[in-house]
Amino acid sequence: MQPVLLIDFGSTYTKVTAVDLSGPTLLGTAAHFTTVETDINEGLNNALGELSKKVGTLDYTARYACSSAAGGLRMITSGLVPELTAEAARLASLGAGAKVIKVYAYELTEEDIEEIDALKPDIFLLTGGTDGGNRAYIEQNARMLAQCKTRFPILVAGNRSSTTTCLRILEGREVTACPNVMPKLGALNIEPTQNEIRALFLERIIKAKGLSTAAELIDGILMPTPAAVLSAMELLSGGTKTTPGLGELVGVDLGGATTDIYSIAAGHPDHDAVMKGLPEPYAKRTVEGDIGMRYSALGVLEAVGVERLAELSGLSEAQVLAMTEHISAQPDSLPDTEDYAALDYAIACAAIETAVTRHAGHLEEIYTPTGPAYMQMGKNLTGVTKLVVTGGAIIHNQQAPLIARHAFYTESAPFSLKPKTADIYIDRRYILASMGLLGQNHPDAALTIMKKELEYHGTAE
Amino acid sequence: MEKKKLVLGVIGADVHAVGNKILDHAFTHAGFEVINLGVLVSQEEFIEAAIETAADAIVVSSLYGHGELDCRGLRDKCKEAGIGDILLYVGGNIVVGKQPFEEVEQRFKDMGFDRVFGPGTSPDEGIAFLKKDLNITE
Ligand code: B12
């Protein structure tokens, strides 16, 4: 037996997972409330206590952890044009597992600097200009940032001709230079910046957030939780040297406050559509901060309208309004009546519909003298045939496979490029983040366990 | 010396792709850095690309006859976006049918284009003017 412990310090729960590498098998999982205010170890020890009741006391050969506790990794980014470098910076941060709390474009104003001071980001990502392109904006924004009263690490990843100037302007602060996130127009280079974000997370953020005491007893807090989930999705999709993966996939992580969508897919056009806009990363993550089952239930209501939730739930519009209000104010509430279960079902369907629509690319039809022509913005996911569903708010719902179908393409929105037919997999044991962690050192074991433990629910359309 | 940068593309709902590829090749060969946006390019895309790359000129093609409509307002938007002085060229079959070129040229100059090229203009002619307007000597 070669037991390994995986820990996920969440904002509300600390989840622990024990695996045996020599199987490789999943031994068990447990969870307990996170206790950031007092001592993060308390939540961890309680969770471990519960785990040992299930799997016995094990002599772990390694312990790995990820964290989204204490607000996760909060980032602010700035770029030049909103659709270009500002978007590249946002995509880079999201893919590194950050929570992007603000994106600025063009020049930072005095008010923006005040806002940044008030928001106190964990990291600021400063970009703008292609290599050899515009220098004025990024340098001006560096001068503005130098006026911030709060201290936070700054990553400079814009026009390389401006890097030295920016470093000089920001002297005395914690600044790191990275290669440009958009070295040429329409070409992304976000990985080096993502590696730097992760390194900063390890070195600095963990300490700042009081997680370091916990860090001593484990072999390193490896990454922010969303980065671990993304990593698991990539492993599940791409496989390892010896074992094939599932191929291109879309992942849905439905939570109480946010809904994350992942796509591991090229997303090329399949019509004779012309690609427009920034090319998107093969492994793409988006976060919908207004879409979720509890804190963000009202955001779902706002996004789809009360009629839609009434239609999906079979409740009256008045009921939907009152009950949605109630659950968003009581984020711990469980769907303990038939009506509340129906509402949960409706909100989950609508949340997935909305979040996947925002994540997926779309077509725009343009009328030309010879008939319609099409432009594709974002990724075409119509040909993706695997859908993976995770998230505490959905995996225990018996209707999860039905809810998952709301990620699909519909005739009523033919220009939204969502998957048409896909095999549905549900992460019932809630192990994706752990497997992303395990996969850093033991990809084959992580892949085998995922393939075994993800519940297959047939093909749907 | 650093290469001069050109943003190139076919404006509007125009899908004629062949000339665009030839221009990309010819301009690159002549020593320019070409940021080619391809076909179906909106005014906003030309401008945004020019801002990020700090381009020296925007070279617009229009082949399908609707050039006048598609190009209207481009200079004003450039001014709005802070690149009001950028060099603007247009060429191809920029209007419908055969109209006296002098009149067409004047209409596009009134719209703010610095140089206007009629049907059948060779890329070389465009290159010669670019070198002149961007003070490239060699
Ligand atoms: C092939 C073709 C098509 C193909 C395009 C395929 C593709 N994806 O590329 C298809 C069938 C799709 C097509 C459609 C249409 N076409 Co068509 N098409 C042609 C054709 C036969 C050849 C175009 C070509 O590739 N030429 C070769 C390249 C190398 O030349 P070029 O495009 O002119 O580009 C050169 C120069 O113009 C110059 N240049 C261009 N821009 C600039 C800019 C500057 C600054 C400079 C200096 C030089 C410069 O340099 C380029 C390189 O040498 C021309 C007729 C012709 N012989 O030109 C008609 C033509 C362009 N089409 C025409 C028309 C009307 C259409 C349609 C509207 C309807 C139709 N009749 O089919 C649609 C429009 C579709 C759309 N939304 O864009 C007309 C335009 C008439 C006008 N402007 O008054 C033409 C001239 C035919 C005609 N005589 O009626 N077309």
Side-chain angles (χ1 to χ4, degrees):
Chain A
M1 181 125 140
Q2 251 184 294
V4 170
L5 178 67
L6 305 149
I7 307 161
D8 174 6
F9 294 106
S11 45
T12 43
Y13 281 98
T14 295
K15 295 173 276 279
V16 287
T17 304
V19 300
D20 176 10
L21 284 183
S22 62
T25 43
L26 178 69
L27 297 172
T29 66
H32 198 274
F33 281 120
T34 298
T35 45
V36 184
E37 280 76 31
T38 49
D39 180 1
I40 190 124
N41 286 310
E42 223 176 279
L44 174 61
N45 287 334
N46 287 330
L48 287 176
E50 273 164 50
L51 183 65
S52 62
K53 275 185 224 152
K54 296 181 188 169
V55 303
T57 317
L58 296 171
D59 186 14
Y60 294 109
T61 54
R63 300 171 173 81
Y64 305 115
C66 59
S67 167
S68 59
L73 174 59
R74 299 165 62 256
M75 286 186 64
I76 298 183
T77 62
S78 76
L80 176 43
V81 173
E83 291 81 9
L84 298 173
T85 44
E87 176 66 5
R90 195 181 71 94
L91 285 171
S93 309
L94 285 173
K99 196 167 177 177
V100 179
I101 50 180
K102 189 84 197 180
V103 179
Y104 296 101
Y106 303 112
E107 273 179 23
L108 290 171
T109 64
E110 302 280 344
E111 291 75 36
D112 295 339
I113 295 303
E114 278 173 29
E115 189 177 33
I116 295 166
D117 267 330
L119 287 169
K120 295 190 177 58
D122 293 322
I123 300 177
F124 191 102
L125 174 57
L126 176 67
T127 73
T130 52
D131 282 347
N134 185 289
R135 302 182 52 161
Y137 285 86
I138 188 170
E139 291 173 12
Q140 170 60 16
N141 287 345
R143 277 188 287 274
M144 293 301 290
L145 270 184
Q147 294 174 24
C148 276
K149 292 184 192 74
T150 37
R151 296 275 152 161
F152 41 79
I154 299 170
L155 293 178
V156 180
N159 183 354
R160 63 186 287 267
S161 318
S162 290
T163 306
T164 318
T165 310
C166 290
L167 292 184
R168 202 175 301 134
I169 294 169
L170 292 164
E171 214 174 278
R173 294 183 180 250
E174 192 179 338
V175 209
T176 315
C178 299
N180 198 345
V181 287
M182 198 176 89
K184 278 168 46 181
L185 198 92
L188 286 184
N189 178 29
I190 57 179
E191 268 171 43
T193 300
Q194 293 179 325
N195 291 339
E196 203 55 55
I197 293 171
R198 207 168 118 187
L200 272 178
F201 179 79
L202 272 177
E203 280 165 27
R204 196 174 173 289
I205 315 295
I206 294 291
K207 251 180 239 148
K209 294 198 181 257
L211 298 175
S212 51
T213 39
E216 276 159 27
L217 97 196
I218 54 195
D219 301 302
I221 298 206
L222 290 173
M223 49 176 74
T225 305
V229 177
L230 179 61
S231 181
M233 299 271 187
E234 286 185 85
L235 178 61
L236 184 61
S237 165
T240 65
K241 282 192 197 88
T242 50
T243 318
L246 298 180
E248 294 194 339
L249 61 83
V250 168
V252 173
D253 184 347
L254 182 56
T258 61
T259 299
D260 291 19
I261 307 294
Y262 301 83
S263 60
I264 316 297
H268 295 313
D270 57 3
H271 311 260
D272 38 353
V274 176
M275 270 308 286
K276 286 287 160 186
L278 212 58
E280 296 189 338
Y282 184 80
K284 175 188 172 189
R285 165 179 179 247
T286 50
V287 181
E288 304 310 329
D290 60 332
I291 301 296
M293 294 297 294
R294 289 291 176 268
Y295 291 100
S296 303
L298 288 171
V300 178
L301 177 68
E302 195 168 312
V304 302
V306 63
E307 305 82 14
R308 180 81 181 122
L309 287 186
E311 179 195 333
L312 283 164
S313 63
L315 300 166
S316 74
E317 292 188 9
Q319 278 175 304
V320 167
L321 287 175
M323 290 163 63
T324 309
E325 193 83 49
H326 173 78
I327 58 168
S328 69
Q330 310 275 318
D332 298 335
S333 64
L334 294 170
D336 43 15
T337 68
E338 224 167 90
D339 281 356
Y340 274 106
L343 181 71
D344 261 9
Y345 171 79
I347 292 178
C349 294
I352 290 183
E353 243 166 52
T354 309
V356 177
T357 303
R358 290 183 192 169
H359 178 99
H362 66 277
L363 287 181
E364 208 167 284
E365 192 174 26
I366 27 178
Y367 297 96
T368 79
T370 34
Y374 297 93
M375 295 196 290
Q376 179 184 320
M377 265 78 58
K379 292 168 94 170
N380 172 15
L381 304 174
T382 52
V384 173
T385 56
K386 311 284 168 193
L387 179 68
V388 180
V389 180
T390 185
I394 184 174
I395 50 174
H396 301 302
N397 192 317
Q398 287 314 309
Q399 288 171 300
L402 279 178
I403 295 168
R405 292 171 193 217
H406 286 262
F408 291 148
Y409 175 94
T410 56
E411 294 294 342
S412 58
F415 290 161
S416 180
L417 302 172
K418 295 182 280 190
K420 288 193 166 158
T421 31
D423 299 340
I424 297 176
Y425 296 86
I426 297 182
D427 179 21
R428 285 261 190 242
R429 318 252 343 233
Y430 212 179
I431 55 164
L432 279 181
S434 305
M435 292 307 112
L437 277 174
L438 183 66
Q440 303 302 306
N441 294 305
H442 306 283
D444 278 301
L447 181 61
T448 308
I449 294 175
M450 280 194 280
K451 282 182 147 180
K452 198 153 58 183
E453 296 294 337
L454 290 178
E455 241 177 60
Y456 175 59
H457 283 271
T459 310
E461 55 187 282
Chain B
M1 212 185 93
E2 237 180 51
K3 286 183 179 178
K4 295 285 182 186
K5 278 175 283 206
L6 313 175
V7 171
L8 175 70
V10 184
I11 199 164
D14 194 335
V15 299
H16 292 91
V18 182
N20 170 263
K21 297 216 173 77
I22 292 176
L23 288 175
D24 186 348
H25 182 80
F27 291 151
T28 306
H29 190 72
F32 294 97
E33 185 178 329
V34 180
I35 296 117
N36 189 3
L37 305 177
V39 299
L40 296 173
V41 181
S42 68
Q43 292 191 355
E44 289 71 21
E45 279 179 89
F46 275 110
I47 293 169
E48 289 173 350
I51 293 176
E52 288 276 9
T53 59
D56 302 286
I58 294 178
V59 181
V60 177
S61 292
S62 177
L63 285 314
Y64 71 158
H66 304 270
E68 211 170 330
L69 261 178
D70 291 339
C71 290
R72 202 173 286 164
L74 180 59
R75 173 63 80 189
D76 290 334
K77 281 192 195 152
C78 285
K79 286 182 187 158
E80 197 72 57
I83 53 166
D85 296 333
I86 195 166
L87 196 62
L88 279 186
Y89 278 21
V90 63
N93 308 312
I94 54 179
V95 290
V96 183
K98 300 226 179 329
Q99 303 182 26
F101 181 66
E102 290 69 32
E103 286 174 25
V104 174
E105 183 181 27
Q106 196 51 52
R107 292 211 297 273
F108 277 82
K109 287 205 160 160
D110 290 345
M111 278 191 242
F113 283 87
D114 297 292
R115 301 226 180 248
V116 184
F117 300 90
T121 309
S122 76
D124 286 342
E125 203 173 317
I127 290 166
F129 278 108
L130 279 168
K131 287 194 167 162
K132 189 167 157 225
D133 291 343
L134 295 171
N135 300 317
I136 302 172
T137 47
E138 93 256 45

